[in-house]
Amino acid sequence: EIVLTQSPATLSLSPGESATLSCRASQSVSSSLAWYQQKPGQAPRLLIYEASNRATGTPDRFRASGSGTDFTLTISSLEPEDFAVYYCHQRSNWPITFGQGTRLELK
Amino acid sequence: QITLKESGPTLVKPTQTLTLTCTFSGFSFSTSGVGVGWIRQPPGKALEWLALIYWNDDKRYSPALKSRLTITKDTSRNQVVLTMTNMDPVDTATYYCVYRVGATAYYMDAGGKGTTVIVSS
């Protein structure tokens, strides 16, 4: 099973700042990685797929990159609605897995 | 517009079998590549994938729960049913139905609000 390790666990920032979230896979997942955003009481929402492609409705301040084992989600100029939990997910190998999440909180 | 709605009991007793139904619209199992599955999230914890069923009836299960899970589909009714046997309090979670279609390169997305399941005697 591929383990996805996200860092940091919690990120405390202010609106207007930039956020950098990391996801590291225990073995290569090529580009078969997605990022999800989850707000309290809501279902997770697909933000990024295939490592760097924004899903419909994802603002362009969300940028993602990486391949193999190291992936990054960058959110530039944070908006109040961006404060949430972010999960990475791989579908390269069965079983498909999720990371443990990074909580982006208001400083 | 794609929508999914999860339904099932809120409270189940330990050792009972849980049956959850996902009813969806906006896509169809008649389309090659389509899949519908389930993920769950215990309170305050991370997401966990459970099962997935494809348009061709291929099925995938989490190895950790495979012996307890069964996923089926009803193409004509646009429904997917997940059964989980021998429920335990650690199975208390919000269960989400997810879908995968070509528009998002077949990555999963959740289109409903989820359903909360509490396992308690």
PDB file of all heavy atoms in Angstrom, chain A residues 31-34 36 38 42-44 46 49-50 87 89 91 94-96, chain B residues 39 41 45-47 49 52 54 60 63 96 104-110 112:
ATOM      1  N   SER A  31       2.154  10.682 -12.028  1.00  0.00           N
ATOM      2  CA  SER A  31       1.385  11.929 -11.865  1.00  0.00           C
ATOM      3  C   SER A  31      -0.038  11.643 -11.385  1.00  0.00           C
ATOM      4  O   SER A  31      -0.906  12.507 -11.448  1.00  0.00           O
ATOM      5  CB  SER A  31       1.338  12.686 -13.188  1.00  0.00           C
ATOM      6  OG  SER A  31       2.618  13.111 -13.566  1.00  0.00           O
ATOM      7  N   SER A  32      -0.251  10.438 -10.896  1.00  0.00           N
ATOM      8  CA  SER A  32      -1.606  10.014 -10.525  1.00  0.00           C
ATOM      9  C   SER A  32      -1.984  10.475  -9.123  1.00  0.00           C
ATOM     10  O   SER A  32      -2.280   9.666  -8.227  1.00  0.00           O
ATOM     11  CB  SER A  32      -1.714   8.491 -10.635  1.00  0.00           C
ATOM     12  OG  SER A  32      -1.486   8.082 -11.955  1.00  0.00           O
ATOM     13  N   LEU A  33      -1.974  11.775  -8.954  1.00  0.00           N
ATOM     14  CA  LEU A  33      -2.229  12.352  -7.636  1.00  0.00           C
ATOM     15  C   LEU A  33      -3.229  13.488  -7.740  1.00  0.00           C
ATOM     16  O   LEU A  33      -3.215  14.264  -8.690  1.00  0.00           O
ATOM     17  CB  LEU A  33      -0.926  12.871  -7.021  1.00  0.00           C
ATOM     18  CG  LEU A  33      -1.101  13.294  -5.567  1.00  0.00           C
ATOM     19  CD1 LEU A  33      -0.321  12.379  -4.631  1.00  0.00           C
ATOM     20  CD2 LEU A  33      -0.767  14.744  -5.355  1.00  0.00           C
ATOM     21  N   ALA A  34      -4.094  13.562  -6.751  1.00  0.00           N
ATOM     22  CA  ALA A  34      -5.104  14.612  -6.685  1.00  0.00           C
ATOM     23  C   ALA A  34      -5.049  15.302  -5.336  1.00  0.00           C
ATOM     24  O   ALA A  34      -4.519  14.764  -4.368  1.00  0.00           O
ATOM     25  CB  ALA A  34      -6.494  14.019  -6.913  1.00  0.00           C
ATOM     26  N   TYR A  36      -7.654  17.462  -2.594  1.00  0.00           N
ATOM     27  CA  TYR A  36      -9.027  17.756  -2.224  1.00  0.00           C
ATOM     28  C   TYR A  36      -9.039  18.810  -1.124  1.00  0.00           C
ATOM     29  O   TYR A  36      -8.147  18.860  -0.278  1.00  0.00           O
ATOM     30  CB  TYR A  36      -9.732  16.500  -1.699  1.00  0.00           C
ATOM     31  CG  TYR A  36      -9.899  15.414  -2.734  1.00  0.00           C
ATOM     32  CD1 TYR A  36      -8.860  14.544  -3.031  1.00  0.00           C
ATOM     33  CD2 TYR A  36     -11.098  15.269  -3.432  1.00  0.00           C
ATOM     34  CE1 TYR A  36      -9.003  13.559  -3.986  1.00  0.00           C
ATOM     35  CE2 TYR A  36     -11.254  14.287  -4.388  1.00  0.00           C
ATOM     36  CZ  TYR A  36     -10.197  13.437  -4.658  1.00  0.00           C
ATOM     37  OH  TYR A  36     -10.344  12.464  -5.615  1.00  0.00           O
ATOM     38  N   GLN A  38     -11.509  20.206   1.997  1.00  0.00           N
ATOM     39  CA  GLN A  38     -12.682  19.878   2.798  1.00  0.00           C
ATOM     40  C   GLN A  38     -12.897  20.944   3.856  1.00  0.00           C
ATOM     41  O   GLN A  38     -12.025  21.196   4.683  1.00  0.00           O
ATOM     42  CB  GLN A  38     -12.544  18.512   3.467  1.00  0.00           C
ATOM     43  CG  GLN A  38     -13.827  18.077   4.174  1.00  0.00           C
ATOM     44  CD  GLN A  38     -13.730  16.713   4.800  1.00  0.00           C
ATOM     45  OE1 GLN A  38     -12.686  16.298   5.281  1.00  0.00           O
ATOM     46  NE2 GLN A  38     -14.833  15.977   4.806  1.00  0.00           N
ATOM     47  N   GLN A  42     -18.628  19.585   5.429  1.00  0.00           N
ATOM     48  CA  GLN A  42     -18.839  19.393   3.993  1.00  0.00           C
ATOM     49  C   GLN A  42     -18.067  18.185   3.478  1.00  0.00           C
ATOM     50  O   GLN A  42     -17.106  17.728   4.102  1.00  0.00           O
ATOM     51  CB  GLN A  42     -18.410  20.636   3.210  1.00  0.00           C
ATOM     52  CG  GLN A  42     -19.230  21.879   3.531  1.00  0.00           C
ATOM     53  CD  GLN A  42     -18.844  23.045   2.637  1.00  0.00           C
ATOM     54  OE1 GLN A  42     -18.198  22.895   1.590  1.00  0.00           O
ATOM     55  NE2 GLN A  42     -19.253  24.252   3.046  1.00  0.00           N
ATOM     56  N   ALA A  43     -18.499  17.706   2.329  1.00  0.00           N
ATOM     57  CA  ALA A  43     -17.774  16.626   1.661  1.00  0.00           C
ATOM     58  C   ALA A  43     -16.487  17.172   1.060  1.00  0.00           C
ATOM     59  O   ALA A  43     -16.387  18.370   0.762  1.00  0.00           O
ATOM     60  CB  ALA A  43     -18.644  16.023   0.566  1.00  0.00           C
ATOM     61  N   PRO A  44     -15.502  16.319   0.883  1.00  0.00           N
ATOM     62  CA  PRO A  44     -14.290  16.776   0.193  1.00  0.00           C
ATOM     63  C   PRO A  44     -14.612  17.143  -1.253  1.00  0.00           C
ATOM     64  O   PRO A  44     -15.480  16.537  -1.868  1.00  0.00           O
ATOM     65  CB  PRO A  44     -13.355  15.565   0.266  1.00  0.00           C
ATOM     66  CG  PRO A  44     -14.249  14.403   0.498  1.00  0.00           C
ATOM     67  CD  PRO A  44     -15.419  14.897   1.259  1.00  0.00           C
ATOM     68  N   LEU A  46     -12.898  17.908  -5.073  1.00  0.00           N
ATOM     69  CA  LEU A  46     -11.717  17.756  -5.927  1.00  0.00           C
ATOM     70  C   LEU A  46     -11.227  19.120  -6.385  1.00  0.00           C
ATOM     71  O   LEU A  46     -11.976  19.891  -6.979  1.00  0.00           O
ATOM     72  CB  LEU A  46     -12.063  16.882  -7.134  1.00  0.00           C
ATOM     73  CG  LEU A  46     -10.948  16.626  -8.140  1.00  0.00           C
ATOM     74  CD1 LEU A  46      -9.836  15.780  -7.516  1.00  0.00           C
ATOM     75  CD2 LEU A  46     -11.502  15.922  -9.388  1.00  0.00           C
ATOM     76  N   TYR A  49      -6.306  17.514 -10.159  1.00  0.00           N
ATOM     77  CA  TYR A  49      -6.145  16.114 -10.557  1.00  0.00           C
ATOM     78  C   TYR A  49      -4.959  15.971 -11.483  1.00  0.00           C
ATOM     79  O   TYR A  49      -4.484  16.944 -12.071  1.00  0.00           O
ATOM     80  CB  TYR A  49      -7.425  15.573 -11.219  1.00  0.00           C
ATOM     81  CG  TYR A  49      -7.812  16.257 -12.507  1.00  0.00           C
ATOM     82  CD1 TYR A  49      -7.362  15.782 -13.731  1.00  0.00           C
ATOM     83  CD2 TYR A  49      -8.640  17.379 -12.486  1.00  0.00           C
ATOM     84  CE1 TYR A  49      -7.711  16.409 -14.916  1.00  0.00           C
ATOM     85  CE2 TYR A  49      -8.999  18.012 -13.660  1.00  0.00           C
ATOM     86  CZ  TYR A  49      -8.539  17.525 -14.876  1.00  0.00           C
ATOM     87  OH  TYR A  49      -8.885  18.154 -16.045  1.00  0.00           O
ATOM     88  N   GLU A  50      -4.482  14.746 -11.571  1.00  0.00           N
ATOM     89  CA  GLU A  50      -3.302  14.443 -12.383  1.00  0.00           C
ATOM     90  C   GLU A  50      -2.165  15.398 -12.043  1.00  0.00           C
ATOM     91  O   GLU A  50      -1.486  15.935 -12.919  1.00  0.00           O
ATOM     92  CB  GLU A  50      -3.649  14.496 -13.862  1.00  0.00           C
ATOM     93  CG  GLU A  50      -2.731  13.651 -14.754  1.00  0.00           C
ATOM     94  CD  GLU A  50      -2.768  12.155 -14.454  1.00  0.00           C
ATOM     95  OE1 GLU A  50      -3.672  11.696 -13.729  1.00  0.00           O
ATOM     96  OE2 GLU A  50      -1.891  11.436 -14.943  1.00  0.00           O
ATOM     97  N   TYR A  87      -6.393  17.343   1.478  1.00  0.00           N
ATOM     98  CA  TYR A  87      -5.932  15.956   1.407  1.00  0.00           C
ATOM     99  C   TYR A  87      -5.334  15.685   0.033  1.00  0.00           C
ATOM    100  O   TYR A  87      -5.878  16.131  -0.976  1.00  0.00           O
ATOM    101  CB  TYR A  87      -7.087  14.986   1.617  1.00  0.00           C
ATOM    102  CG  TYR A  87      -7.695  15.000   2.995  1.00  0.00           C
ATOM    103  CD1 TYR A  87      -8.819  15.776   3.269  1.00  0.00           C
ATOM    104  CD2 TYR A  87      -7.155  14.235   4.028  1.00  0.00           C
ATOM    105  CE1 TYR A  87      -9.381  15.798   4.543  1.00  0.00           C
ATOM    106  CE2 TYR A  87      -7.713  14.241   5.298  1.00  0.00           C
ATOM    107  CZ  TYR A  87      -8.816  15.030   5.543  1.00  0.00           C
ATOM    108  OH  TYR A  87      -9.380  15.049   6.811  1.00  0.00           O
ATOM    109  N   HIS A  89      -4.294  12.460  -2.605  1.00  0.00           N
ATOM    110  CA  HIS A  89      -4.868  11.147  -2.899  1.00  0.00           C
ATOM    111  C   HIS A  89      -4.142  10.564  -4.103  1.00  0.00           C
ATOM    112  O   HIS A  89      -3.912  11.262  -5.087  1.00  0.00           O
ATOM    113  CB  HIS A  89      -6.353  11.305  -3.188  1.00  0.00           C
ATOM    114  CG  HIS A  89      -6.959  10.228  -4.031  1.00  0.00           C
ATOM    115  ND1 HIS A  89      -7.100   8.933  -3.598  1.00  0.00           N
ATOM    116  CD2 HIS A  89      -7.455  10.247  -5.297  1.00  0.00           C
ATOM    117  CE1 HIS A  89      -7.648   8.216  -4.562  1.00  0.00           C
ATOM    118  NE2 HIS A  89      -7.888   8.991  -5.598  1.00  0.00           N
ATOM    119  N   ARG A  91      -4.021   7.414  -7.012  1.00  0.00           N
ATOM    120  CA  ARG A  91      -4.767   6.328  -7.627  1.00  0.00           C
ATOM    121  C   ARG A  91      -3.850   5.501  -8.534  1.00  0.00           C
ATOM    122  O   ARG A  91      -4.302   4.776  -9.408  1.00  0.00           O
ATOM    123  CB  ARG A  91      -5.941   6.882  -8.430  1.00  0.00           C
ATOM    124  CG  ARG A  91      -5.525   7.666  -9.658  1.00  0.00           C
ATOM    125  CD  ARG A  91      -6.674   7.854 -10.603  1.00  0.00           C
ATOM    126  NE  ARG A  91      -6.198   8.230 -11.918  1.00  0.00           N
ATOM    127  CZ  ARG A  91      -6.987   8.580 -12.915  1.00  0.00           C
ATOM    128  NH1 ARG A  91      -8.296   8.599 -12.728  1.00  0.00           N
ATOM    129  NH2 ARG A  91      -6.500   8.901 -14.079  1.00  0.00           N
ATOM    130  N   TRP A  94      -3.461   0.100  -6.458  1.00  0.00           N
ATOM    131  CA  TRP A  94      -4.460  -0.351  -5.495  1.00  0.00           C
ATOM    132  C   TRP A  94      -3.742  -0.838  -4.237  1.00  0.00           C
ATOM    133  O   TRP A  94      -2.712  -1.489  -4.326  1.00  0.00           O
ATOM    134  CB  TRP A  94      -5.301  -1.487  -6.085  1.00  0.00           C
ATOM    135  CG  TRP A  94      -6.109  -1.073  -7.249  1.00  0.00           C
ATOM    136  CD1 TRP A  94      -5.844  -1.310  -8.560  1.00  0.00           C
ATOM    137  CD2 TRP A  94      -7.319  -0.299  -7.224  1.00  0.00           C
ATOM    138  NE1 TRP A  94      -6.814  -0.742  -9.346  1.00  0.00           N
ATOM    139  CE2 TRP A  94      -7.732  -0.118  -8.567  1.00  0.00           C
ATOM    140  CE3 TRP A  94      -8.096   0.264  -6.203  1.00  0.00           C
ATOM    141  CZ2 TRP A  94      -8.881   0.597  -8.909  1.00  0.00           C
ATOM    142  CZ3 TRP A  94      -9.237   0.967  -6.549  1.00  0.00           C
ATOM    143  CH2 TRP A  94      -9.616   1.118  -7.878  1.00  0.00           C
ATOM    144  N   PRO A  95      -4.319  -0.561  -3.044  1.00  0.00           N
ATOM    145  CA  PRO A  95      -5.526   0.247  -2.854  1.00  0.00           C
ATOM    146  C   PRO A  95      -5.242   1.730  -3.001  1.00  0.00           C
ATOM    147  O   PRO A  95      -4.155   2.198  -2.670  1.00  0.00           O
ATOM    148  CB  PRO A  95      -5.921  -0.080  -1.413  1.00  0.00           C
ATOM    149  CG  PRO A  95      -4.626  -0.358  -0.727  1.00  0.00           C
ATOM    150  CD  PRO A  95      -3.766  -1.036  -1.765  1.00  0.00           C
ATOM    151  N   ILE A  96      -6.204   2.460  -3.513  1.00  0.00           N
ATOM    152  CA  ILE A  96      -6.045   3.898  -3.586  1.00  0.00           C
ATOM    153  C   ILE A  96      -6.046   4.448  -2.164  1.00  0.00           C
ATOM    154  O   ILE A  96      -6.701   3.889  -1.272  1.00  0.00           O
ATOM    155  CB  ILE A  96      -7.143   4.541  -4.450  1.00  0.00           C
ATOM    156  CG1 ILE A  96      -8.536   4.168  -3.948  1.00  0.00           C
ATOM    157  CG2 ILE A  96      -6.968   4.104  -5.895  1.00  0.00           C
ATOM    158  CD1 ILE A  96      -9.665   4.805  -4.750  1.00  0.00           C
TER     159      ILE A  96
ATOM    160  N   ILE B  39     -16.255   6.428   0.301  1.00  0.00           N
ATOM    161  CA  ILE B  39     -15.172   6.743   1.223  1.00  0.00           C
ATOM    162  C   ILE B  39     -15.821   7.081   2.558  1.00  0.00           C
ATOM    163  O   ILE B  39     -17.025   7.357   2.614  1.00  0.00           O
ATOM    164  CB  ILE B  39     -14.291   7.921   0.731  1.00  0.00           C
ATOM    165  CG1 ILE B  39     -15.104   9.219   0.613  1.00  0.00           C
ATOM    166  CG2 ILE B  39     -13.625   7.570  -0.605  1.00  0.00           C
ATOM    167  CD1 ILE B  39     -14.267  10.429   0.241  1.00  0.00           C
ATOM    168  N   GLN B  41     -15.162   8.856   6.761  1.00  0.00           N
ATOM    169  CA  GLN B  41     -14.347   9.735   7.581  1.00  0.00           C
ATOM    170  C   GLN B  41     -14.826   9.668   9.032  1.00  0.00           C
ATOM    171  O   GLN B  41     -15.858  10.246   9.378  1.00  0.00           O
ATOM    172  CB  GLN B  41     -14.429  11.165   7.069  1.00  0.00           C
ATOM    173  CG  GLN B  41     -13.503  12.135   7.771  1.00  0.00           C
ATOM    174  CD  GLN B  41     -13.494  13.484   7.080  1.00  0.00           C
ATOM    175  OE1 GLN B  41     -14.522  13.984   6.628  1.00  0.00           O
ATOM    176  NE2 GLN B  41     -12.314  14.086   6.982  1.00  0.00           N
ATOM    177  N   LYS B  45     -11.027  12.611  11.869  1.00  0.00           N
ATOM    178  CA  LYS B  45      -9.943  11.842  11.247  1.00  0.00           C
ATOM    179  C   LYS B  45      -9.922  12.018   9.736  1.00  0.00           C
ATOM    180  O   LYS B  45     -10.727  12.755   9.165  1.00  0.00           O
ATOM    181  CB  LYS B  45     -10.082  10.366  11.629  1.00  0.00           C
ATOM    182  CG  LYS B  45      -9.903  10.124  13.127  1.00  0.00           C
ATOM    183  CD  LYS B  45      -9.828   8.657  13.432  1.00  0.00           C
ATOM    184  CE  LYS B  45      -9.558   8.437  14.921  1.00  0.00           C
ATOM    185  NZ  LYS B  45      -9.471   6.986  15.266  1.00  0.00           N
ATOM    186  N   ALA B  46      -8.997  11.318   9.112  1.00  0.00           N
ATOM    187  CA  ALA B  46      -8.776  11.477   7.680  1.00  0.00           C
ATOM    188  C   ALA B  46      -9.763  10.649   6.859  1.00  0.00           C
ATOM    189  O   ALA B  46     -10.511   9.822   7.381  1.00  0.00           O
ATOM    190  CB  ALA B  46      -7.342  11.078   7.339  1.00  0.00           C
ATOM    191  N   LEU B  47      -9.726  10.877   5.567  1.00  0.00           N
ATOM    192  CA  LEU B  47     -10.563  10.139   4.623  1.00  0.00           C
ATOM    193  C   LEU B  47     -10.016   8.738   4.428  1.00  0.00           C
ATOM    194  O   LEU B  47      -8.799   8.523   4.409  1.00  0.00           O
ATOM    195  CB  LEU B  47     -10.599  10.861   3.281  1.00  0.00           C
ATOM    196  CG  LEU B  47     -11.082  12.306   3.298  1.00  0.00           C
ATOM    197  CD1 LEU B  47     -10.826  12.961   1.943  1.00  0.00           C
ATOM    198  CD2 LEU B  47     -12.562  12.377   3.660  1.00  0.00           C
ATOM    199  N   TRP B  49     -10.726   5.319   1.821  1.00  0.00           N
ATOM    200  CA  TRP B  49     -11.446   4.735   0.702  1.00  0.00           C
ATOM    201  C   TRP B  49     -11.931   3.340   1.080  1.00  0.00           C
ATOM    202  O   TRP B  49     -11.212   2.561   1.697  1.00  0.00           O
ATOM    203  CB  TRP B  49     -10.537   4.663  -0.519  1.00  0.00           C
ATOM    204  CG  TRP B  49     -11.137   3.854  -1.623  1.00  0.00           C
ATOM    205  CD1 TRP B  49     -12.205   4.190  -2.403  1.00  0.00           C
ATOM    206  CD2 TRP B  49     -10.732   2.551  -2.040  1.00  0.00           C
ATOM    207  NE1 TRP B  49     -12.484   3.174  -3.286  1.00  0.00           N
ATOM    208  CE2 TRP B  49     -11.592   2.169  -3.086  1.00  0.00           C
ATOM    209  CE3 TRP B  49      -9.724   1.678  -1.637  1.00  0.00           C
ATOM    210  CZ2 TRP B  49     -11.472   0.940  -3.744  1.00  0.00           C
ATOM    211  CZ3 TRP B  49      -9.594   0.462  -2.284  1.00  0.00           C
ATOM    212  CH2 TRP B  49     -10.466   0.106  -3.319  1.00  0.00           C
ATOM    213  N   LEU B  52     -15.195   0.594  -4.757  1.00  0.00           N
ATOM    214  CA  LEU B  52     -15.487   1.259  -6.024  1.00  0.00           C
ATOM    215  C   LEU B  52     -16.059   0.225  -6.980  1.00  0.00           C
ATOM    216  O   LEU B  52     -15.584  -0.926  -7.021  1.00  0.00           O
ATOM    217  CB  LEU B  52     -14.201   1.844  -6.595  1.00  0.00           C
ATOM    218  CG  LEU B  52     -14.257   2.871  -7.706  1.00  0.00           C
ATOM    219  CD1 LEU B  52     -14.991   4.120  -7.256  1.00  0.00           C
ATOM    220  CD2 LEU B  52     -12.848   3.230  -8.142  1.00  0.00           C
ATOM    221  N   TYR B  54     -17.269  -0.228 -11.149  1.00  0.00           N
ATOM    222  CA  TYR B  54     -17.157   0.392 -12.466  1.00  0.00           C
ATOM    223  C   TYR B  54     -18.342   0.059 -13.354  1.00  0.00           C
ATOM    224  O   TYR B  54     -19.125  -0.847 -13.064  1.00  0.00           O
ATOM    225  CB  TYR B  54     -15.875  -0.077 -13.141  1.00  0.00           C
ATOM    226  CG  TYR B  54     -14.620   0.444 -12.492  1.00  0.00           C
ATOM    227  CD1 TYR B  54     -13.940  -0.307 -11.539  1.00  0.00           C
ATOM    228  CD2 TYR B  54     -14.116   1.700 -12.821  1.00  0.00           C
ATOM    229  CE1 TYR B  54     -12.779   0.173 -10.941  1.00  0.00           C
ATOM    230  CE2 TYR B  54     -12.957   2.186 -12.229  1.00  0.00           C
ATOM    231  CZ  TYR B  54     -12.304   1.419 -11.301  1.00  0.00           C
ATOM    232  OH  TYR B  54     -11.160   1.896 -10.696  1.00  0.00           O
ATOM    233  N   ARG B  60     -13.675  -3.046  -6.790  1.00  0.00           N
ATOM    234  CA  ARG B  60     -12.441  -2.952  -6.007  1.00  0.00           C
ATOM    235  C   ARG B  60     -12.805  -2.650  -4.569  1.00  0.00           C
ATOM    236  O   ARG B  60     -13.709  -1.856  -4.307  1.00  0.00           O
ATOM    237  CB  ARG B  60     -11.546  -1.841  -6.555  1.00  0.00           C
ATOM    238  CG  ARG B  60     -11.151  -2.022  -8.013  1.00  0.00           C
ATOM    239  CD  ARG B  60     -10.042  -3.031  -8.161  1.00  0.00           C
ATOM    240  NE  ARG B  60      -9.678  -3.215  -9.559  1.00  0.00           N
ATOM    241  CZ  ARG B  60      -8.545  -3.775  -9.962  1.00  0.00           C
ATOM    242  NH1 ARG B  60      -7.669  -4.215  -9.054  1.00  0.00           N
ATOM    243  NH2 ARG B  60      -8.289  -3.918 -11.225  1.00  0.00           N
ATOM    244  N   PRO B  63      -8.380  -3.469   0.989  1.00  0.00           N
ATOM    245  CA  PRO B  63      -7.950  -4.765   1.533  1.00  0.00           C
ATOM    246  C   PRO B  63      -8.261  -4.910   3.021  1.00  0.00           C
ATOM    247  O   PRO B  63      -8.561  -6.008   3.486  1.00  0.00           O
ATOM    248  CB  PRO B  63      -6.435  -4.764   1.287  1.00  0.00           C
ATOM    249  CG  PRO B  63      -6.238  -3.820   0.152  1.00  0.00           C
ATOM    250  CD  PRO B  63      -7.282  -2.766   0.320  1.00  0.00           C
ATOM    251  N   TYR B  96     -19.337   8.854   2.549  1.00  0.00           N
ATOM    252  CA  TYR B  96     -19.574   9.647   1.341  1.00  0.00           C
ATOM    253  C   TYR B  96     -19.598   8.752   0.102  1.00  0.00           C
ATOM    254  O   TYR B  96     -18.722   7.882  -0.052  1.00  0.00           O
ATOM    255  CB  TYR B  96     -18.468  10.679   1.140  1.00  0.00           C
ATOM    256  CG  TYR B  96     -18.349  11.735   2.216  1.00  0.00           C
ATOM    257  CD1 TYR B  96     -17.363  11.649   3.191  1.00  0.00           C
ATOM    258  CD2 TYR B  96     -19.205  12.839   2.233  1.00  0.00           C
ATOM    259  CE1 TYR B  96     -17.233  12.624   4.176  1.00  0.00           C
ATOM    260  CE2 TYR B  96     -19.084  13.816   3.211  1.00  0.00           C
ATOM    261  CZ  TYR B  96     -18.088  13.697   4.179  1.00  0.00           C
ATOM    262  OH  TYR B  96     -17.969  14.671   5.145  1.00  0.00           O
ATOM    263  N   THR B 104     -13.231  14.724 -15.161  1.00  0.00           N
ATOM    264  CA  THR B 104     -12.136  14.961 -14.207  1.00  0.00           C
ATOM    265  C   THR B 104     -11.108  13.839 -14.316  1.00  0.00           C
ATOM    266  O   THR B 104     -10.525  13.419 -13.315  1.00  0.00           O
ATOM    267  CB  THR B 104     -12.661  15.066 -12.770  1.00  0.00           C
ATOM    268  OG1 THR B 104     -13.503  13.946 -12.508  1.00  0.00           O
ATOM    269  CG2 THR B 104     -13.410  16.363 -12.548  1.00  0.00           C
ATOM    270  N   ALA B 105     -10.924  13.373 -15.522  1.00  0.00           N
ATOM    271  CA  ALA B 105      -9.933  12.334 -15.793  1.00  0.00           C
ATOM    272  C   ALA B 105     -10.126  11.120 -14.890  1.00  0.00           C
ATOM    273  O   ALA B 105      -9.165  10.446 -14.539  1.00  0.00           O
ATOM    274  CB  ALA B 105      -8.522  12.892 -15.657  1.00  0.00           C
ATOM    275  N   TYR B 106     -11.365  10.879 -14.534  1.00  0.00           N
ATOM    276  CA  TYR B 106     -11.714   9.709 -13.733  1.00  0.00           C
ATOM    277  C   TYR B 106     -11.134   9.718 -12.323  1.00  0.00           C
ATOM    278  O   TYR B 106     -10.961   8.667 -11.715  1.00  0.00           O
ATOM    279  CB  TYR B 106     -11.371   8.416 -14.478  1.00  0.00           C
ATOM    280  CG  TYR B 106     -12.084   8.326 -15.798  1.00  0.00           C
ATOM    281  CD1 TYR B 106     -11.409   8.574 -16.990  1.00  0.00           C
ATOM    282  CD2 TYR B 106     -13.445   8.036 -15.852  1.00  0.00           C
ATOM    283  CE1 TYR B 106     -12.082   8.523 -18.204  1.00  0.00           C
ATOM    284  CE2 TYR B 106     -14.115   7.985 -17.064  1.00  0.00           C
ATOM    285  CZ  TYR B 106     -13.424   8.226 -18.236  1.00  0.00           C
ATOM    286  OH  TYR B 106     -14.084   8.181 -19.428  1.00  0.00           O
ATOM    287  N   TYR B 107     -10.864  10.906 -11.802  1.00  0.00           N
ATOM    288  CA  TYR B 107     -10.532  11.030 -10.380  1.00  0.00           C
ATOM    289  C   TYR B 107     -11.843  11.130  -9.604  1.00  0.00           C
ATOM    290  O   TYR B 107     -12.824  11.690 -10.077  1.00  0.00           O
ATOM    291  CB  TYR B 107      -9.675  12.264 -10.123  1.00  0.00           C
ATOM    292  CG  TYR B 107      -8.226  12.039 -10.451  1.00  0.00           C
ATOM    293  CD1 TYR B 107      -7.760  12.163 -11.757  1.00  0.00           C
ATOM    294  CD2 TYR B 107      -7.322  11.671  -9.464  1.00  0.00           C
ATOM    295  CE1 TYR B 107      -6.429  11.933 -12.069  1.00  0.00           C
ATOM    296  CE2 TYR B 107      -5.989  11.442  -9.763  1.00  0.00           C
ATOM    297  CZ  TYR B 107      -5.549  11.581 -11.061  1.00  0.00           C
ATOM    298  OH  TYR B 107      -4.238  11.348 -11.363  1.00  0.00           O
ATOM    299  N   MET B 108     -11.828  10.617  -8.396  1.00  0.00           N
ATOM    300  CA  MET B 108     -13.041  10.618  -7.583  1.00  0.00           C
ATOM    301  C   MET B 108     -13.413  12.028  -7.150  1.00  0.00           C
ATOM    302  O   MET B 108     -12.560  12.862  -6.885  1.00  0.00           O
ATOM    303  CB  MET B 108     -12.845   9.767  -6.328  1.00  0.00           C
ATOM    304  CG  MET B 108     -12.544   8.308  -6.592  1.00  0.00           C
ATOM    305  SD  MET B 108     -12.547   7.355  -5.056  1.00  0.00           S
ATOM    306  CE  MET B 108     -11.249   8.189  -4.129  1.00  0.00           C
ATOM    307  N   ASP B 109     -14.711  12.254  -7.054  1.00  0.00           N
ATOM    308  CA  ASP B 109     -15.203  13.481  -6.452  1.00  0.00           C
ATOM    309  C   ASP B 109     -16.470  13.130  -5.702  1.00  0.00           C
ATOM    310  O   ASP B 109     -17.158  12.156  -6.036  1.00  0.00           O
ATOM    311  CB  ASP B 109     -15.467  14.555  -7.506  1.00  0.00           C
ATOM    312  CG  ASP B 109     -15.448  15.961  -6.912  1.00  0.00           C
ATOM    313  OD1 ASP B 109     -15.270  16.094  -5.679  1.00  0.00           O
ATOM    314  OD2 ASP B 109     -15.610  16.925  -7.687  1.00  0.00           O
ATOM    315  N   ALA B 110     -16.771  13.906  -4.691  1.00  0.00           N
ATOM    316  CA  ALA B 110     -17.972  13.657  -3.897  1.00  0.00           C
ATOM    317  C   ALA B 110     -19.042  14.649  -4.325  1.00  0.00           C
ATOM    318  O   ALA B 110     -18.767  15.835  -4.469  1.00  0.00           O
ATOM    319  CB  ALA B 110     -17.672  13.811  -2.411  1.00  0.00           C
ATOM    320  N   GLY B 112     -22.301  14.548  -2.889  1.00  0.00           N
ATOM    321  CA  GLY B 112     -23.377  14.628  -1.914  1.00  0.00           C
ATOM    322  C   GLY B 112     -22.882  15.192  -0.607  1.00  0.00           C
ATOM    323  O   GLY B 112     -21.760  15.690  -0.519  1.00  0.00           O
TER     324      GLY B 112
END
